[in-house]
Amino acid sequence: MSVKEQLDKKKLPKHVAIIMDGNGRWARKRGNARVFGHQQGVKSVREVTEAAAELGLKFLTLYAFSTENWSRPKTEVDALMSLLVSTISSETKTLMDNNVKLKTIGCKENLPGDVRDKLTACMDQTKDNDGLTLVLALSYSSRWEIVEGVKKIASDVLDGKLNVDQVNADIFSHYLETSYMPDPELLIRTSGELRISNFLLWQIAYSELYFCNVLWPDFRKEHFFKALLDFQGRERRFGKISDQVKK
Ligand code: FPP
């Protein structure tokens, strides 16, 4: 039986988040420039998006560019931005064919104009698709998002729209970029690094973490299904004891 066939279709997560890591190392191992790794990484993005859509997942969030990534060499940043523009253009039809809606989280104002324009056009074109929502984290970091959320709450309190006593974890979640999504049940990081790197810190409070050694450009549907199978073998207790969650 294939890994996909072994999956319990009734116990799939609604939301999977991925830290796509290892593009640079993949390219260097082949004696190529880092940007070559990013180009190859687009194929893996297509694979996981298709796999997630096939399985009927509701949300797939990909860490495509962090706030900290702005400090990479300008040539690499520029190459990543033009890769985004060309990928969005070439993949919009695939998103439509697979009933996928595109969304982003992160500081859009920091992105170059052409990237913003392409994203806006693609989000607009795919907005009525009701299958998978593909969320690209762009110029995103969790600490930035949390600070922005705190600022919005403070402003609503000052404007008398919100009472300080009303603020709780649920209300706070509504002030984050991810307000319309359930928290990810599963977070995957490729390339063997065991870090979270400022990604969805609030939202992964109870997520299952899955680390694998595969470098992102080598990540295929089979690897994704394997991570989901591993997830299905875990017992999620949310602070309770085993007997309580088995009931
Ligand atoms: C991490 O590898 C990868 C990134 C920072 C960028 C991810 C971008 C893509 C996969 C391509 C474009 C994406 C979309 C959605 C079109 P790294 O460069 O940190 O690798 P290293 O750790 O080996 O140096």
Side-chain angles (χ1 to χ4, degrees):
M1 234 201 307
S2 73
V3 185
K4 190 185 178 189
E5 283 161 358
Q6 290 174 57
L7 290 172
D8 181 345
K9 303 291 179 308
K10 289 190 222 69
K11 285 193 187 146
L12 289 167
K14 286 189 188 62
H15 184 180
V16 176
I18 306 183
I19 302 175
M20 311 180 285
D21 196 12
N23 293 353
R25 274 164 285 165
W26 186 93
R28 217 171 313 132
K29 264 172 53 181
R30 287 160 178 78
N32 280 309
R34 295 176 53 82
V35 61
F36 184 62
H38 298 315
Q39 285 161 354
Q40 294 302 309
V42 173
K43 179 146 201 267
S44 311
V45 170
R46 194 181 302 128
E47 287 258 327
V48 290
T49 306
E50 271 176 20
E54 273 169 33
L55 290 173
L57 306 193
K58 294 311 288 176
F59 293 92
L60 176 67
T61 302
L62 303 179
Y63 206 4
F65 195 88
S66 71
T67 309
E68 291 74 20
N69 286 154
W70 289 115
S71 32
R72 288 192 176 192
K74 187 177 179 310
T75 45
E76 182 168 342
V77 171
D78 289 349
L80 273 166
M81 291 299 142
S82 38
L83 191 58
L84 263 169
V85 169
S86 59
T87 306
I88 298 159
S89 300
S90 62
E91 300 299 322
T92 302
K93 188 181 175 308
T94 319
L95 296 181
M96 291 306 291
D97 292 345
N98 288 282
N99 193 23
V100 179
K101 184 193 303 202
L102 183 78
K103 299 282 272 181
T104 64
I105 54 173
C107 183
K108 283 172 234 6
E109 295 78 53
N110 282 352
L111 297 169
D114 56 343
V115 176
R116 266 184 288 159
D117 292 347
K118 285 278 176 221
L119 283 169
T120 308
C122 183
M123 287 193 286
D124 198 47
Q125 208 179 323
T126 60
K127 71 176 189 315
D128 296 324
N129 292 344
D130 58 3
L132 174 74
T133 299
L134 171 64
V135 184
L136 296 184
L138 291 169
S139 193
Y140 172 88
S141 80
S142 207
R143 288 182 175 179
W144 165 83
E145 176 190 37
I146 289 170
V147 169
E148 288 302 305
V150 169
K151 287 200 275 192
K152 284 179 212 153
I153 286 187
S155 156
D156 278 357
V157 169
L158 282 174
D159 292 347
K161 292 182 192 154
L162 186 70
N163 195 312
V164 172
D165 300 331
Q166 287 175 290
V167 180
N168 57 26
D170 191 39
I171 296 279
F172 186 68
S173 296
H174 286 92
Y175 282 84
L176 296 176
E177 297 274 294
T178 50
S179 59
Y180 55 91
M181 313 175 202
D183 287 341
E185 292 100 317
L186 173 65
L187 172 70
I188 299 171
R189 182 172 190 147
T190 61
S191 91
E193 303 290 347
L194 308 179
R195 285 188 295 277
I196 302 300
S197 302
N198 216 348
F199 190 44
L200 302 175
L201 297 178
W202 173 271
Q203 297 86 341
I204 60 165
Y206 285 100
S207 304
E208 294 298 324
L209 308 181
Y210 180 88
F211 298 99
C212 67
N213 289 328
V214 181
L215 301 176
W216 181 251
D218 288 328
F219 199 82
R220 290 292 166 270
K221 287 183 185 183
E222 281 305 296
H223 300 111
F224 188 61
F225 297 144
K226 204 164 154 235
L228 290 171
L229 192 64
D230 188 279
F231 165 80
Q232 290 188 334
R234 309 230 189 141
E235 183 183 69
R236 306 190 70 212
R237 292 197 293 275
F238 302 97
K240 297 180 181 169
I241 66 165
S242 189
D243 286 348
Q244 290 175 300
V245 294
K246 276 186 185 138
K247 276 177 192 157

